[in-house]
Amino acid sequence: MVSILNDSTDAYFNLAAEEYLLRSFGQDVFMLWQNEPSVVIGKHQNVWAEINPAFIQERDIKVVRRFSGGGAVYHDLGNLNFTFIESSRNADFDKYTSLMVDLLAEVGVPAEADSRRGLTVQGLKISGSAQCIHRGKCMYHATLLYKTNLQMLASALQGDLSDSAEWGVERRAAYVHSVRSPVTNITHYLPSALQLQDFKNIIISFLLKKKIVEGEYQFSPYDLQAINQLKEEKYATTQWNFQATAPK
């Protein structure tokens, strides 16, 4: 498995990169990445039940629908995202959750896994995850709330279906609802101060030590062209992001 330290903070590009790596890339991958303020919703969600449109428009927060299912999450530069993609006919998603519990233990954070493969500390959520399988490949991706603006998170994720008519979209009753949980930041539980970049370095060192990853990969010009094309044709479009549920 190769590691990709993706330095893009464009949510449209990063979600397109995940789909490209899942569908078209030939190697197993671990990708570490961040987004500028964004709300990322699950493939089968009603966007209007998940977001606060007025708040999001006022603050120019991107809304992007991901390829996998699950609930809505807020990203900013205090949040860290990671993605595992590997070829497997017998996906074991719990192993990734356990891996993150072990990683956090190394920096003194006593995280526990919940029934939905999220991570909590003292009952407060620090990570949410989603998974999907596509043609013999599995993807597990998750957030890590390191030093996120939790007030912005709470305000951005206040859905109101009454705003849907303004956007000219159809309301639908059948969709996946997010499960709201009280949240906190990892920094509150660290024994000593640790910069986010240092935490990222610890993650990579941990995965190297565990022999999960074996080398670093940088996107080629071909990769970037394919990802940007997918971004423009899908992930940056109103049709994909703002339909009540995603097109099939």
Side-chain angles (χ1 to χ4, degrees), residues 30-199:
F30 169 79
M31 183 168 71
L32 201 57
W33 50 287
Q34 293 171 273
N35 283 333
E36 292 179 338
S38 314
V39 173
V40 180
I41 64 171
K43 183 175 183 179
H44 304 294
Q45 291 197 289
N46 185 327
V47 64
W48 308 108
E50 306 300 332
I51 68 169
N52 180 337
F55 183 86
I56 283 171
Q57 285 183 306
E58 180 181 336
R59 288 158 180 81
D60 196 28
I61 297 171
K62 287 180 178 175
V63 177
V64 56
R65 189 183 297 272
R66 63 178 177 266
F67 186 77
S68 64
V73 290
Y74 174 79
H75 292 182
D76 64 14
L77 293 178
N79 174 70
L80 191 58
N81 305 293
F82 62 88
T83 306
F84 288 97
I85 298 174
E86 66 176 325
S87 299
S88 176
R89 295 289 179 182
N90 187 24
D92 177 12
F93 294 120
D94 291 329
K95 71 179 181 182
Y96 304 115
T97 310
S98 297
L99 196 63
M100 289 300 108
V101 169
D102 292 344
L103 164 68
L104 289 165
E106 292 225 343
V107 294
V109 178
E112 298 179 338
D114 65 22
S115 60
R116 295 185 299 276
R117 302 189 182 97
L119 300 178
T120 63
V121 180
Q122 298 178 3
L124 300 175
K125 195 167 188 176
I126 58 168
S127 173
S129 70
Q131 309 85 37
C132 68
I133 297 174
H134 176 75
R135 295 184 179 178
K137 296 179 75 175
C138 63
M139 177 170 71
Y140 175 97
H141 50 181
T143 58
L144 284 172
L145 295 174
Y146 193 75
K147 197 175 182 180
T148 289
N149 186 325
L150 300 182
Q151 184 175 357
M152 289 280 286
L153 180 154
S155 297
L157 296 177
Q158 290 181 348
D160 183 357
L161 284 171
S162 66
D163 288 296
S164 64
E166 177 184 342
W167 291 77
V169 298
E170 177 188 357
R171 299 186 192 185
R172 301 181 187 176
Y175 55 87
V176 173
H177 298 261
S178 292
V179 178
R180 305 298 183 195
S181 303
V183 296
T184 189
N185 279 313
I186 290 170
T187 51
H188 294 160
Y189 302 92
L190 290 171
S192 57
L194 184 67
Q195 296 299 314
L196 181 55
Q197 183 58 52
D198 294 328
F199 183 58

Side-chain angles (χ1 to χ4, degrees), residues 183-226:
V183 296
T184 189
N185 279 313
I186 290 170
T187 51
H188 294 160
Y189 302 92
L190 290 171
S192 57
L194 184 67
Q195 296 299 314
L196 181 55
Q197 183 58 52
D198 294 328
F199 183 58
K200 291 165 73 172
N201 293 338
I202 288 170
I203 292 174
I204 296 300
S205 296
F206 175 82
L207 295 177
L208 285 168
K209 180 177 70 175
K210 294 287 187 179
K211 301 188 185 303
I212 305 298
V213 299
E214 297 180 346
E216 186 176 344
Y217 179 84
Q218 294 185 344
F219 287 128
S220 69
Y222 175 86
D223 297 329
L224 291 172
Q225 180 180 7

